[in-house]
Amino acid sequence: MPVLLFLIDTSASMNQRTHLGTTYLDVAKGAVETFMKLRGRDPASRGDRYMLVNYEDVPFGIKAGWKESHATFMTELRNLQATGLTTIGQSLRTAFDLLNLNRLVTGIDNYGQGRNPFFLEPAIIIAITDGNKLTSGGGVQDELHLPLTTPLPGSELTKEPFRWDQRLFALVLRIPGNTSVEPEPLGGVPPDDSPITPMCEVTGGRSYSVFSQRMLNQCLESLVQKIQSGVVINFEKTGPDPPPLEALKSGLQPWHCCHKLIYVRPNPKTGVPIGHWPIPEAFWPDQNSPTLPPRSAHPHVRFSCLDAEPMVIDKVPFDKYELEPSPLTQYILERKSPHTCWQVFVCNSAKYSDLGQPFGYLKASTALNCVNLFVMPYNYPVLLPLLDDLIKVHKFKPTIKWRQSFENYLKTMPPYYIGSLRKALRIMGAPNLLADNMEYGLSYSVVSYLKKLSQQSKIEYDRLIALIGKKPPSEAGIKVRWRGGGISLAQRRDFIQQLQSLTGDVPTLELNPKEFQGFHLALLNKGLKPQSFRNPYDIPRSHLLDQLSRMRRNLLNTSVCTLRGQDSDQFHSVPIAQMGNYQDFLKAAPQPLRDADPEQPKRLHTFGNPFKLDKKGMMIDEADEFVTGPQNKGKRPGDSSSMPGGGPKRRRCMSPLLRLGRAYTPPVRIIGIFFLKALQIFRNLGNFFADFLGGIFSDKETILFGSLLIEQLENFLEEIHNRSISMNHVDTL
């Protein structure tokens, strides 16, 4: 499960704009989202864990860590603001400590007992910055320095702040503010010359100098391809060079020293890497030593260019790792000798040898398309022939001479290989060759110290996880610092002379420079509403002319006798961020009066829809009775739906008006109710018509005519009503 940690530069210089109109911080946010989309195309991305760190102090700079969800990561990414300094050294240390927080708890580093490549937690740190000067509270630095002190327990066991499965890549934004006329350079993206580049190269990564959006997309696609499970190893040549070959071209890149990755492939069945043998430590463990010497983050593996024969025995396990393409792999492949190998060593790993004994070899594949590192048992040229004789000659019944040779080998083998060797012998079918009481090489004090560090790491892990997500406390004010020893402006001779020339008297100034040492300058309270008519400091610089026009209208308005303290537009204006805060408005509003008619349905106080009714208090209209009532009329006796135990009855059905190919047959009672209501409406209309005519014409004939008209309408409607009661279908009408 790879960990992808994004380190975003939130210094104030990230507010500079590109020729596209976006700021560098906007470009960085868009780059993160594009990277996640490109990574999401790979099925292996389901187990990815994303983290987010910016340039704030610990722990407020950790926006998303081990426990935060993907939604939290995206929210914190969108809320980033560029307001700080370029404290990239402190932020890098925070990122490394966050990744290393749980390693001592899980025991993944296996201190003092060899390095297991198959115990890894691959992590990639992607830093996005503008490459400007490194600024902090102490000034401007030219070089990148990581803090030496850290609260992480066990950090003294490794010389560097990173580990061999963690790599740093940097995207340095160099997009100009004006559109460039020159064409973009073709080919790969060059590395940047900023101070972060050496740090990237030390961890096994690199930096990219980005000059356009196209180059940025190219870098993101390259970074997605670099998400590989593996560890970084330093390979260095020892001894003489190999004899040159005639077919070998001259002018090759230097291959004597390479700093590259070896791929640790996971098991296809389990998805977890499986291995058997460690890479030896660079010291011989002493059981009387109370401490462990610190190890380097990347093991230094030396290879000898003397051709040797590769050794593999059936039933004896070995580990095989592919090397990342490098000048060393290119040199080995161009020699075209897949049947020979170069042995590898770790200095000071043996008890009586500076170079140590071989623990594996480098060998080109048979197809000459890659170079593999074979990790074998320590001093395998001695052990493998003994095991081969045990299988083929002695048939797993060792003789005394064989046992003596095996005991001599065990004395030259580091003690931490005993566990791996015991498992290998069990696989072979000879589990009783090693005694159960053999020591692993660590003293009691070292074991106790490692257990104590594991407990402390667990406490520190829980403490930091609890602090992630909390906002930094608001400062009470700006503290006034005393620049001890400096001469203030009021005590300078030229200042006193200027006052004397203006006033004619010699001023007597008795100032104490420590008088304001404990003072704090108040900060602007953003919670208070600005009073632009009373406090000129509440007026933004860009609104000065508009405010002057408002004050002029307020002063020259003759309809108001007194001056108002606030403009009417500002009184009713609400910031966009607070427009949806309707609940707080309801809490501040006075309690409304009770309704005069409590039987009426209450209107809900829903933001954005004041006409929504409370459906719980509404009565069902009589027109819906045909839905809730019995629907078995007209059913055939043999219909399966009418039989008991049939399908479930629908509580509500679709409106008959929406059913295609079916006429709507309203009940008789509905028709009668409809015409009764129509009769009442026409009666009222007739009365109104009579009053209207009576108001215009005063003679009795007109009033009589209106009365006759009303009587005829009533008779007509009553006749229709009587006919409709006896109807069984609307079409008859």
Side-chain angles (χ1 to χ4, degrees):
M1 184 179 67
V3 179
L4 304 173
L5 191 150
F6 289 94
L7 179 60
I8 307 299
D9 186 355
T10 53
S11 60
S13 58
M14 291 291 286
N15 287 319
Q16 56 182 316
R17 294 189 176 274
T18 66
H19 66 276
L20 302 174
T22 57
T23 63
Y24 274 10
L25 185 60
D26 296 333
V27 174
K29 295 178 181 179
V32 175
E33 295 180 356
T34 304
F35 178 88
M36 297 175 67
K37 292 179 182 178
L38 295 175
R39 175 60 178 167
R41 300 173 183 174
D42 190 356
S45 63
R46 296 179 180 178
D48 294 349
R49 177 176 295 278
Y50 289 93
M51 297 184 181
L52 182 64
V53 178
N54 66 353
Y55 282 11
E56 294 182 46
D57 295 335
V58 183
F60 310 112
I62 304 175
K63 301 301 181 181
W66 289 101
K67 296 291 185 179
E68 281 66 34
S69 61
H70 180 75
T72 304
F73 174 88
M74 296 303 299
T75 302
E76 294 293 339
L77 176 66
R78 297 188 184 100
N79 293 337
L80 290 180
Q81 296 181 356
T83 57
L85 300 175
T86 313
T87 56
I88 188 171
Q90 177 64 43
S91 302
L92 270 178
R93 185 73 199 214
T94 302
F96 286 129
D97 289 348
L98 179 63
L99 294 175
N100 301 331
L101 194 59
N102 208 29
R103 295 179 75 95
L104 275 175
V105 179
T106 59
I108 194 174
D109 288 322
N110 205 32
Y111 285 107
Q113 303 181 33
R115 304 170 186 254
N116 296 316
F118 45 90
F119 287 168
L120 79 165
E121 195 174 55
I124 289 183
I125 301 176
I126 302 176
I128 306 179
T129 179
D130 57 357
N132 284 341
K133 291 292 185 179
L134 308 180
T135 58
S136 63
V140 180
Q141 293 84 26
D142 296 330
E143 297 181 355
L144 177 61
H145 296 284
L146 271 67
L148 299 178
T149 58
T150 174
L152 185 66
S155 59
E156 69 277 3
L157 296 177
T158 307
K159 299 178 182 178
E160 295 86 357
F162 51 86
R163 303 296 181 263
W164 66 340
D165 53 359
Q166 301 168 359
R167 292 177 293 165
L168 172 64
F169 295 89
L171 297 175
V172 184
L173 303 179
R174 304 289 186 182
I175 304 176
N178 298 324
T179 306
S180 178
V181 183
E182 300 179 358
E184 298 181 5
L186 301 177
V189 181
D192 198 77
D193 57 353
S194 57
I196 198 175
T197 300
M199 191 66 189
C200 296
E201 296 175 352
V202 167
T203 60
R206 59 157 297 183
S207 65
Y208 299 90
S209 189
V210 181
F211 291 94
S212 65
Q213 186 66 37
R214 184 193 65 83
M215 295 179 69
L216 179 60
N217 296 333
Q218 183 179 353
C219 295
L220 295 176
E221 294 177 356
S222 175
L223 286 176
V224 171
Q225 300 298 326
K226 292 185 180 298
I227 303 177
Q228 300 287 343
S229 177
V231 295
V232 179
I233 296 180
N234 283 321
F235 291 98
E236 188 176 352
K237 182 187 74 68
T238 182
D241 290 348
L245 300 177
E246 295 180 359
L248 196 62
K249 298 180 181 179
S250 59
L252 290 176
Q253 298 181 6
W255 51 271
H256 290 180
C257 184
C258 286
H259 188 71
K260 291 296 180 180
L261 190 77
I262 63 170
Y263 300 124
V264 183
R265 308 294 186 187
N267 188 5
K269 297 181 179 179
T270 61
V272 179
I274 297 178
H276 303 88
W277 306 103
I279 295 176
E281 299 278 359
F283 61 90
W284 181 265
D286 186 5
Q287 295 185 0
N288 299 323
S289 177
T291 58
L292 283 175
R295 64 159 61 155
S296 58
H298 301 149
H300 293 271
V301 175
R302 295 179 178 268
F303 60 90
S304 174
C305 298
L306 300 178
D307 291 339
E309 183 180 355
M311 301 177 65
V312 174
I313 297 178
D314 294 338
K315 297 183 180 180
V316 178
F318 63 90
D319 300 331
K320 179 181 177 181
Y321 306 105
E322 180 185 349
L323 269 69
E324 185 183 13
S326 63
L328 175 60
T329 60
Q330 181 183 358
Y331 183 81
I332 294 176
L333 292 176
E334 290 187 356
R335 291 182 62 84
K336 297 181 180 180
S337 56
H339 302 293
T340 60
C341 64
W342 289 353
Q343 293 180 343
V344 290
F345 309 83
V346 172
C347 290
N348 301 321
S349 61
K351 191 172 185 179
Y352 302 109
S353 176
D354 294 337
L355 183 60
Q357 302 298 332
F359 69 92
Y361 50 83
L362 294 173
K363 177 183 174 298
S365 61
T366 306
L368 295 176
N369 54 5
C370 65
V371 177
N372 297 316
L373 170 65
F374 288 81
V375 179
M376 311 292 291
Y378 192 79
N379 199 5
Y380 71 94
V382 176
L383 177 64
L384 293 186
L386 288 174
L387 297 180
D388 191 32
D389 291 344
L390 177 66
I391 298 173
K392 298 179 179 179
V393 178
H394 304 292
K395 305 299 181 181
F396 294 101
K397 295 181 180 179
T399 61
I400 298 177
K401 184 178 180 181
W402 188 93
R403 285 185 177 276
Q404 290 178 351
S405 301
F406 187 68
E407 292 291 338
N408 293 332
Y409 163 77
L410 293 179
K411 294 179 181 179
T412 62
M413 182 190 71
Y416 48 80
Y417 270 86
I418 292 176
S420 302
L421 182 59
R422 181 178 284 113
K423 293 180 182 178
L425 293 176
R426 188 183 302 115
I427 295 174
M428 290 175 52
N432 299 323
L433 291 178
L434 292 176
D436 295 336
N437 57 354
M438 296 189 67
E439 299 291 339
Y440 281 80
L442 294 180
S443 62
Y444 176 77
S445 60
V446 171
V447 174
S448 301
Y449 178 65
L450 292 177
K451 290 182 179 180
K452 181 180 178 181
L453 288 180
S454 177
Q455 297 174 359
Q456 293 178 355
S457 299
K458 178 62 176 165
I459 296 174
E460 180 65 20
Y461 173 81
D462 296 336
R463 185 191 69 84
L464 187 60
I465 291 300
L467 293 176
I468 294 177
K470 293 185 178 181
K471 301 299 181 182
S474 58
E475 298 181 1
I478 303 175
K479 186 177 180 180
V480 178
R481 293 186 298 176
W482 175 55
R483 307 280 185 179
I487 301 176
S488 64
L489 180 64
Q491 292 179 333
R492 294 176 55 179
R493 183 180 300 274
D494 53 354
F495 179 74
I496 297 176
Q497 292 178 355
Q498 291 289 338
L499 288 179
Q500 184 178 2
S501 61
L502 293 175
T503 60
D505 300 331
V506 179
T508 56
L509 299 176
E510 297 180 359
L511 296 178
N512 184 9
K514 296 183 179 181
E515 182 179 359
F516 302 98
Q517 185 175 357
F519 276 51
H520 285 75
L521 299 179
L523 296 177
L524 178 63
N525 188 359
K526 298 181 179 180
L528 297 178
K529 198 169 184 179
Q531 301 289 335
S532 57
F533 275 58
R534 294 184 173 92
N535 189 1
Y537 297 100
D538 287 346
I539 306 173
R541 182 183 181 91
S542 58
H543 298 170
L544 286 176
L545 295 179
D546 296 337
Q547 182 64 25
L548 186 61
S549 301
R550 296 191 191 99
M551 295 173 66
R552 184 182 296 109
R553 290 196 303 268
N554 189 18
L555 179 63
L556 301 179
N557 192 0
T558 57
S559 61
V560 181
C561 298
T562 58
L563 293 177
R564 292 173 294 178
Q566 197 171 15
D567 189 71
S568 58
D569 294 339
Q570 292 182 341
F571 183 75
H572 297 287
S573 64
V574 179
I576 296 178
Q578 301 178 8
M579 285 185 176
N581 197 357
Y582 189 67
Q583 297 299 328
D584 292 348
F585 171 77
L586 290 179
K587 294 178 182 178
Q591 186 69 20
L593 300 176
R594 65 178 180 85
D595 295 334
D597 189 1
E599 296 181 358
Q600 292 292 332
K602 297 181 180 180
R603 296 193 179 275
L604 299 178
H605 295 285
T606 54
F607 179 72
N609 187 7
F611 302 102
K612 188 175 181 180
L613 298 177
D614 188 3
K615 294 183 179 180
K616 296 180 181 179
M618 295 179 63
M619 298 178 62
I620 299 176
D621 191 24
E622 295 179 357
D624 294 336
E625 288 186 357
F626 74 96
V627 178
T628 59
Q631 300 292 328
N632 295 330
K633 294 181 180 180
K635 297 275 185 177
R636 293 188 180 93
D639 197 352
S640 60
S641 62
S642 62
M643 296 177 63
K649 297 182 179 179
R650 294 178 58 187
R651 189 172 182 179
R652 293 189 64 87
C653 61
M654 185 185 297
S655 174
L657 296 176
L658 301 178
R659 298 179 184 177
L660 299 177
R662 186 172 179 182
Y664 170 54
T665 305
V668 176
R669 185 180 179 186
I670 297 178
I671 299 176
I673 295 174
F674 172 78
F675 279 102
L676 284 177
K677 293 182 179 179
L679 177 63
Q680 182 67 29
I681 293 174
F682 275 100
R683 180 182 289 112
N684 296 335
L685 181 61
N687 293 333
F688 174 77
F689 183 60
D691 294 338
F692 177 75
L693 293 177
I696 298 177
F697 306 100
S698 59
D699 53 90
K700 297 181 179 180
E701 288 83 0
T702 306
I703 297 175
L704 180 62
F705 174 75
S707 301
L708 292 175
L709 179 61
I710 293 173
E711 185 178 357
Q712 291 179 2
L713 287 174
E714 291 179 352
N715 295 334
F716 174 73
L717 292 176
E718 288 180 1
E719 182 180 0
I720 292 177
H721 174 60
N722 295 331
R723 291 179 59 187
S724 64
I725 294 177
S726 61
M727 288 181 185
N728 293 327
H729 209 279
V730 177
D731 296 337
T732 308
L733 181 63

